[in-house]
Amino acid sequence: MRFANLHDDIGNDIYDHKDQKDQKDRLDTFHYPRFKQGNMCFSAIVCCFDGGQDWNTMCDTIRYVENAILHSKHFSFDDTKDIQVFMAVEGMCGIDKDPEERIDWLYMHHVRLASLCWNDDNALACGAKKGNKPLTDLGKRVIKEMNQVNMAIDTSHCCEWNFYDIARISTKPIIASHSNVKGLYNHYRNLSDPQLQVIQSKNGLIGGIPVRWFVDKKENNATLEDFIQVLIYIKEKIGTNHIALGFDFMDYIPGMEDSNVIGMKDITQIQNIATALQEHGFAQQEIEDICFNNAYNFMKNYI
């Protein structure tokens, strides 16, 4: 089964290893074999900015990651190499002025999906962990410019007020690239049933995330079966046409080796999801759509 991933902080991983001589080609030497083992064929390469970075730092990181992809043997922004990727930004804390110019710069450097904030409260938006308040005027301008340049809008991490502001202002579909559901686990990052319905009405996507503390309380050690229940829940609420996957792998970060649900330890075991969906009675077309088609078909409109 082919897989597509709407969220993976590989951009930060590549940048964090830039000063290690033996890791200059980390995208190809470390990540590529893992992608191949899991049959991950299409993926976001995310640069996450947690609120402490200025615009210059954002630009330096994005340029470095873009260059790594452009010079990769196996990854490319089109379908000319083995694995097609697109760049995404999680948190635009560096945009504190000139939002139109800065969104245009991001687009010129292959960013095709972005969220306004991470868990921080910045000049554009407020993360769900920080509170609940409207988008700023700058944030509204960012949404309009993202629509204008054809950059997809990610609502994962933003507070509910921001979510509804984004849905109202955006003239294009919105996604939650790596979010689960409050109906099964009331985590501040998960989506309520009304939010699911808004994403459906906007013809958007929800990328289910198999990181265990977004599936259940961290101490409960959520399993793959628990995660499959999330996908079943979304299917029952809004149908499989709006389900994708946003894995947010962290197992390659020291101390985060056990971040994924039990039964799918890392990217090399993602085929277990397809097997589990089949065991739960999902049709073959539904499985293919959830694992690959929905994310790929959505993002191909932007890349």
Side-chain angles (χ1 to χ4, degrees):
M1 178 69 63
R2 293 182 301 171
F3 276 81
N5 185 5
L6 288 173
H7 192 88
D8 196 337
D9 293 334
I10 289 177
N12 295 87
D13 182 65
I14 296 168
Y15 189 78
D16 290 346
H17 287 84
K18 66 182 173 59
D19 295 325
Q20 299 180 27
K21 291 182 179 179
D22 62 341
Q23 298 291 325
K24 290 293 185 182
D25 298 318
R26 184 171 172 84
L27 184 59
D28 286 338
T29 59
F30 176 76
H31 289 288
Y32 178 69
R34 291 158 52 93
F35 269 63
K36 289 298 289 182
Q37 189 170 345
N39 202 25
M40 182 70 75
C41 300
F42 181 75
S43 182
I45 302 292
V46 179
C47 296
C48 177
F49 302 103
D50 63 12
Q53 298 81 15
D54 61 15
W55 177 244
N56 289 334
T57 301
M58 285 184 65
C59 292
D60 288 345
T61 305
I62 290 164
R63 275 192 295 252
Y64 183 88
V65 175
E66 178 189 37
N67 189 62
I69 296 168
L70 289 171
H71 289 88
S72 169
K73 295 178 181 178
H74 306 293
F75 296 83
S76 65
F77 291 119
D78 54 28
D79 59 1
T80 58
K81 297 179 184 176
D82 203 8
I83 296 170
Q84 187 174 4
V85 297
F86 61 93
M87 286 188 66
V89 165
E90 180 177 41
M92 294 191 282
C93 52
I95 300 182
D96 55 2
K97 62 180 181 179
D98 304 323
E100 291 81 10
E101 293 178 15
R102 295 184 175 186
I103 290 296
D104 292 355
W105 186 93
L106 292 175
Y107 190 86
M108 287 190 331
H109 289 272
H110 290 96
V111 174
R112 295 295 182 266
L113 171 68
S115 62
L116 275 64
C117 60
W118 185 63
N119 288 331
D120 57 313
D121 183 1
N122 62 37
L124 309 177
C126 178
K129 192 174 183 179
K130 282 290 186 178
N132 194 33
K133 58 185 182 180
L135 281 182
T136 67
D137 289 341
L138 276 179
K140 294 173 184 177
R141 287 169 64 185
V142 163
I143 295 301
K144 292 176 182 177
E145 187 64 16
M146 290 174 75
N147 282 170
Q148 179 67 30
V149 302
N150 201 35
M151 183 185 297
I153 300 168
D154 188 358
T155 62
S156 285
H157 280 286
C158 72
C159 67
E160 285 202 27
W161 201 328
N162 283 184
F163 173 91
Y164 290 112
D165 279 347
I166 292 168
R168 175 176 51 82
I169 295 167
S170 177
T171 59
K172 295 188 176 183
I174 60 174
I175 71 169
S177 68
H178 55 302
S179 297
N180 289 334
V181 294
K182 281 185 165 68
L184 293 179
Y185 175 44
N186 191 23
H187 189 282
Y188 63 85
R189 276 261 287 102
N190 288 342
L191 300 167
S192 67
D193 287 359
Q195 287 176 296
L196 299 182
Q197 291 159 7
V198 168
I199 290 175
Q200 179 188 36
S201 71
K202 296 286 289 186
N203 200 28
L205 284 180
I206 297 146
I209 174 173
V211 172
R212 57 188 176 86
W213 49 81
F214 298 125
V215 178
D216 200 349
K217 293 180 180 178
K218 191 172 184 178
E219 60 270 22
N220 289 348
N221 294 317
T223 65
L224 177 59
E225 172 61 25
D226 296 323
F227 176 63
I228 297 299
Q229 292 303 316
V230 173
L231 303 183
I232 292 172
Y233 186 96
I234 300 172
K235 174 184 176 178
E236 291 175 347
K237 294 295 181 180
I238 60 173
T240 56
N241 289 340
H242 303 281
I243 306 175
L245 298 167
F247 288 93
D248 198 9
F249 293 115
M250 293 178 259
D251 55 275
Y252 48 77
I253 301 171
M256 304 289 278
E257 293 83 0
D258 296 325
S259 57
N260 297 315
V261 293
I262 296 170
M264 196 217 72
K265 70 173 184 176
D266 58 30
I267 193 173
T268 68
Q269 295 188 356
I270 58 178
Q271 294 297 327
N272 294 350
I273 292 177
T275 300
L277 289 172
Q278 185 177 38
E279 291 172 350
H280 278 274
F282 281 70
Q284 182 65 22
Q285 187 62 57
E286 291 178 318
I287 298 171
E288 292 175 5
D289 289 346
I290 291 169
C291 294
F292 183 82
N293 293 335
N294 289 343
Y296 178 76
N297 290 335
F298 183 91
M299 285 308 304
K300 76 179 183 182
N301 295 312
Y302 296 90
I303 58 178

